[in-house]
Amino acid sequence: QFNKYVDQKIVSPISKAYVKKVPAKIRSGISNHLEWMDTPSTIINSVLQTDIENTFLASAKFMLNGLTLGFYDLDEGDTKIKKKDFGSTLASLNFPEGPFLMVPLLGPKTTRDFTGTVLDRQNLVMLSSDSINELSLAEIPINLIDKRGKMQKTIDNIYLSADPYIKIRSYYLQNRRNEIYGEEYINNKNNNLDAEFEKLLD
């Protein structure tokens, strides 16, 4: 209820004005920059997960787009990297995802992902300069408004559902598991559903 109140009274109106008033090209540049600023986390966690290919690709793209501070994607999306964070690193080490949480201001998280978010922030603080850390902190509200603008219809539909809490928990968990496990998760889920359906037939 707290997050919903803050979203509807503050974040949502600002994000709607942002989408309406700021040209699409500028919004795209801001999104690119925010993604570029987040790439060091992907590099660090790719190393921790021994994903050598993703480490090299993310590093190369980060350095290349550093020429524009990330505002323009110089390889025009040709280099595909998989976003990684410490939550996905913990998942690769078979840490359980734990209970689902609605964290004030941060929104939906599992215990594992919340721990990962805290550790990611600590890692970047230790490895980055003070000016980069200050810039990163200043861009947190911009990132929130940018993401809210992209998810406007999805979040509004969740609020209209019979039980928004159940809806957002389901939406978050499915997307997060798919993000971490990819096709393996989808295949396992489909196989489990098939098995349950066959039991019903028996």
Side-chain angles (χ1 to χ4, degrees), residues 11-110:
V11 181
S12 180
I14 294 175
S15 70
K16 286 179 179 177
Y18 171 73
V19 171
K20 185 176 180 180
K21 300 292 184 180
V22 179
K25 284 188 177 181
I26 296 178
R27 283 187 278 115
S28 178
I30 291 172
S31 293
N32 288 339
H33 171 72
L34 293 169
E35 187 174 334
W36 176 76
M37 286 286 289
D38 197 44
T39 306
S41 176
T42 290
I43 296 170
I44 293 168
N45 285 289
S46 294
V47 172
L48 293 174
Q49 295 176 38
T50 64
D51 189 339
I52 305 303
E53 180 182 2
N54 206 60
T55 301
F56 280 117
L57 290 176
S59 300
K61 186 160 187 172
F62 180 73
M63 289 187 288
L64 175 64
N65 287 337
L67 298 172
T68 66
L69 294 180
F71 285 102
Y72 183 78
D73 189 356
L74 291 173
D75 75 349
E76 298 182 344
D78 289 339
T79 303
K80 303 296 182 183
I81 61 174
K82 185 175 181 182
K83 186 176 179 180
K84 293 179 182 289
D85 52 41
F86 206 80
S88 64
T89 296
L90 292 175
S92 72
L93 297 173
N94 295 321
F95 277 79
E97 62 183 13
F100 175 78
L101 308 171
M102 280 297 293
V103 185
L105 299 178
L106 291 181
K109 298 280 183 185
T110 60

Side-chain angles (χ1 to χ4, degrees), residues 1-196:
Q1 289 298 323
F2 172 78
N3 283 346
K4 183 179 179 181
Y5 180 84
V6 171
D7 178 65
Q8 291 187 320
K9 296 296 183 181
I10 302 173
V11 181
S12 180
I14 294 175
S15 70
K16 286 179 179 177
Y18 171 73
V19 171
K20 185 176 180 180
K21 300 292 184 180
V22 179
K25 284 188 177 181
I26 296 178
R27 283 187 278 115
S28 178
I30 291 172
S31 293
N32 288 339
H33 171 72
L34 293 169
E35 187 174 334
W36 176 76
M37 286 286 289
D38 197 44
T39 306
S41 176
T42 290
I43 296 170
I44 293 168
N45 285 289
S46 294
V47 172
L48 293 174
Q49 295 176 38
T50 64
D51 189 339
I52 305 303
E53 180 182 2
N54 206 60
T55 301
F56 280 117
L57 290 176
S59 300
K61 186 160 187 172
F62 180 73
M63 289 187 288
L64 175 64
N65 287 337
L67 298 172
T68 66
L69 294 180
F71 285 102
Y72 183 78
D73 189 356
L74 291 173
D75 75 349
E76 298 182 344
D78 289 339
T79 303
K80 303 296 182 183
I81 61 174
K82 185 175 181 182
K83 186 176 179 180
K84 293 179 182 289
D85 52 41
F86 206 80
S88 64
T89 296
L90 292 175
S92 72
L93 297 173
N94 295 321
F95 277 79
E97 62 183 13
F100 175 78
L101 308 171
M102 280 297 293
V103 185
L105 299 178
L106 291 181
K109 298 280 183 185
T110 60
T111 307
R112 182 177 66 197
D113 287 338
F114 179 62
T115 303
T117 299
V118 174
L119 293 174
D120 274 326
R121 183 64 202 167
Q122 284 298 112
N123 286 336
L124 291 177
V125 166
M126 290 189 296
L127 295 173
S128 302
S129 64
D130 290 340
S131 58
I132 293 294
N133 288 327
E134 289 172 4
L135 178 61
S136 180
L137 279 174
E139 289 182 344
I140 288 175
I142 301 174
N143 194 21
L144 176 62
I145 292 166
D146 181 65
K147 287 183 176 178
R148 181 61 173 88
K150 292 176 182 176
M151 299 184 66
Q152 191 76 47
K153 290 182 180 179
T154 301
I155 295 176
D156 289 347
N157 286 336
I158 286 173
Y159 288 154
L160 293 173
S161 64
D163 192 331
Y165 175 81
I166 296 295
K167 187 79 171 179
I168 199 167
R169 183 178 67 182
S170 175
Y171 179 84
Y172 174 80
L173 291 176
Q174 287 189 49
N175 279 277
R176 182 58 175 160
R177 289 166 182 169
N178 184 37
E179 185 179 281
I180 293 174
Y181 304 112
E183 291 184 6
E184 179 185 349
Y185 165 70
I186 295 173
N187 291 335
N188 286 338
K189 182 179 178 182
N190 289 338
N191 288 337
N192 289 335
L193 288 173
D194 289 342
E196 290 177 8

